[in-house]
Amino acid sequence: MVMLPEQKVFFIGDWRVSPAEGVLSRDGEVVHLEPKVAEVLVYLAAHAGQVVTRQELEREVWQGALVGYDAITNTVIKLRRALHDNSHQPQYVTTIPKRGYELIAPVRYLQTETNPNPSITSTAEATAIAPVTGQAPKLRVKVILTALLGVLFLASTGAWLWFAYRSAIPRFQNNKPSLIVMPFKNLSHDASQDYLADGMTEDLITDLSRTARLQVLASNTSYIYHDKRVAPREVGKTLHIDYVLQGNIRTVGGTLRVNTQLVDARTGFNKWAESYDRSTQEIFNVRHEITSGVVNALALNLTAKEKQRLASKATSNLKAYGYFQEGQRLSKGRTKEDNQLAETAYRKAIAIDPTYGRAYGALAVTLGVDFFRGWTATPNENLDRALELARNAVALDDSIPQTYWALGWVYLMRREHAKAEQATMKSIEIAPNYADGYGLLAFIDNYQGKSAQAIAYLRKGMQLNPYYSWDYPYNLGRAYYDSGQYAKAVAALEQARQRNPNIMFANVYLVASYVRLGRQDDAEWVVQELQVMDPPVTISHISKVAPYSDLKLLQPLLADLRKAGLPE
């Protein structure tokens, strides 16, 4: 819980902040903040001029709860939007790469003093502006007691919610061993090498997901444990899994050391462990050897096709790999700016390694996102180029699920549903544990009016990805809306918005669900937010880009959006 100074109101630059109300105000403008955004603002203000790490925010603001990478990033995005700040030329909150965030605007607290003049009765006249100091003023006993009671209440409530959430994590229903790849740690004391550790984690998840005899949790669930120290037995107990693969990477000059252990989550003992001392350029060989070590330790009998796929390499060029990982990180933001920067990174990767199939697929997806969000002046040309790139991706590397996923995504944007489904099914054939493949199948089914089938696919994806990203509750909310379960739709879509507020269609379906429930004020409020966040969003834009198999399925949604005041 964030501890507030005694003053209830303070200023950041020329913004007046009222934490109790969750309100920013300036020159007649009033901005309402979500509770978590207000807490982050208060915490940054209390540490103005200091770098606040993501880990610190998780510990102090999220009270140590396991949250995904997007949760903090998107809260800061909302805060910047509320302050009208620019991430590239910040006046309020600046990002310190690989470290955290810093509030750079001046902070002043309102300090109420004993009134020396009885004739002055106005609170405003009796209030002086006091600059913030290194320490917050002492709290009164009553305030302390109130705060402590609040902490106890929230702690008990939070514990109950966490227990309920944890107990809802589905167990695997067959006899296949289950495994999570924990985020590999970068021990190089050089943040620029983080991409090697992050890439090792992602690639091992992809490699091991291609074995039909093993159940592997998705990367979103893995990332929950980034920069956290959790015993393998606790991870196993929480996620109901059998094995934990963990490790670390250290680079010195051109040399590389990788340590890894496969731990039996039921006993806490190592099932297998290995260390590798190689040149940095051999990191791709090391990854393959780790995958083989896990397969052998678990006595997984691979088919000839599985062995062939595991032997393939996406790229052998470390520089191209670095640009690809940069694109992956940027693409998670889902803003126009992030998408453009991701495109640039993927193009650089392709320029260095023209045979890098996965980079072609990723670039195809960003072009598809440009089309979907209305971020391009040449939508048809974008989709044609995206299809060309996605086909090239599969031609260059048909051994990984991501290239087929990209092809499926592009076909869906082109309203070629049968081809989209065929390509996505191929991604799951390659990697039976590929949670995002099930997510895309649900997406395709939602656009064909197959809500029940979409929900079934989502349940499978959520089993493989218990700490799922925004797109799972978004898809679920859509399926509930289409099947007339509007209260469930609102709950799911609000959860998607909390995980990433930049998802246009999550907001669109939330508006429509509010209308169906008679919550007109809420619907109109979200429409206003959409107009600020995504000006291209109109009835006509949705009609053009929403890839429904039958446009009759779109009409109820458009009718609801018109009732909420979305422009034509």
Side-chain angles (χ1 to χ4, degrees), residues 287-302:
R287 186 193 95 203
H288 175 69
E289 290 180 37
I290 293 173
T291 301
S292 298
V294 173
V295 168
N296 292 332
L298 297 180
L300 303 176
N301 296 317
L302 303 184

Side-chain angles (χ1 to χ4, degrees), residues 247-312:
N248 56 65
I249 294 178
R250 185 192 303 273
T251 57
V252 180
T255 63
L256 171 78
R257 164 162 281 197
V258 180
N259 296 305
T260 186
Q261 304 88 32
L262 177 66
V263 182
D264 188 323
R266 296 159 295 190
T267 66
F269 294 118
N270 281 358
K271 180 80 171 176
W272 169 81
E274 191 59 82
S275 294
Y276 304 87
D277 290 291
R278 307 285 178 81
S279 72
T280 306
Q281 295 296 326
E282 292 185 83
I283 189 169
F284 305 109
N285 293 332
V286 171
R287 186 193 95 203
H288 175 69
E289 290 180 37
I290 293 173
T291 301
S292 298
V294 173
V295 168
N296 292 332
L298 297 180
L300 303 176
N301 296 317
L302 303 184
T303 65
K305 185 171 287 187
E306 285 175 333
K307 291 178 181 177
Q308 181 182 359
R309 286 169 177 163
L310 287 175
S312 67

Side-chain angles (χ1 to χ4, degrees), residues 218-239:
S219 58
N220 276 94
T221 297
S222 173
Y223 196 87
I224 290 295
Y225 294 98
H226 201 278
D227 294 326
K228 289 183 172 63
R229 293 186 178 181
V230 187
R233 292 186 71 179
E234 180 62 28
V235 175
K237 183 179 178 182
T238 300
L239 299 176

Side-chain angles (χ1 to χ4, degrees), residues 501-514:
N502 299 312
I503 306 305
M504 175 188 76
F505 267 87
N507 290 286
V508 165
Y509 278 91
L510 183 60
V511 169
S513 299
Y514 279 149

Side-chain angles (χ1 to χ4, degrees), residues 104-230:
I104 57 176
V107 178
R108 297 168 296 154
Y109 284 97
L110 282 177
Q111 184 173 17
T112 304
E113 301 177 338
T114 302
N115 186 357
N117 187 345
S119 65
I120 299 178
T121 57
S122 167
T123 302
E125 289 176 298
T127 302
I129 302 292
V132 65
T133 61
Q135 281 187 314
K138 293 182 179 179
L139 296 172
R140 293 192 183 99
V141 173
K142 182 177 179 180
V143 175
I144 292 176
L145 291 174
T146 302
L148 287 173
L149 288 171
V151 169
L152 290 172
F153 173 77
L154 288 173
S156 61
T157 303
W160 181 86
L161 288 172
W162 165 239
F163 176 80
Y165 178 66
R166 173 175 153 179
S167 63
I169 294 174
R171 295 177 183 270
F172 293 107
Q173 299 299 317
N174 54 41
N175 295 323
K176 297 178 185 178
S178 53
L179 176 145
I180 182 173
V181 181
M182 298 290 278
F184 271 54
K185 298 183 184 301
N186 171 24
L187 301 183
S188 304
H189 304 295
D190 179 1
S192 67
Q193 300 301 302
D194 282 351
Y195 80 97
L196 292 176
D198 294 342
M200 177 67 79
T201 307
E202 290 276 356
D203 291 342
L204 285 170
I205 292 171
T206 295
D207 287 348
L208 293 168
S209 292
R210 288 184 280 185
T211 62
R213 292 161 181 79
L214 181 66
Q215 302 241 34
V216 183
L217 295 184
S219 58
N220 276 94
T221 297
S222 173
Y223 196 87
I224 290 295
Y225 294 98
H226 201 278
D227 294 326
K228 289 183 172 63
R229 293 186 178 181
V230 187

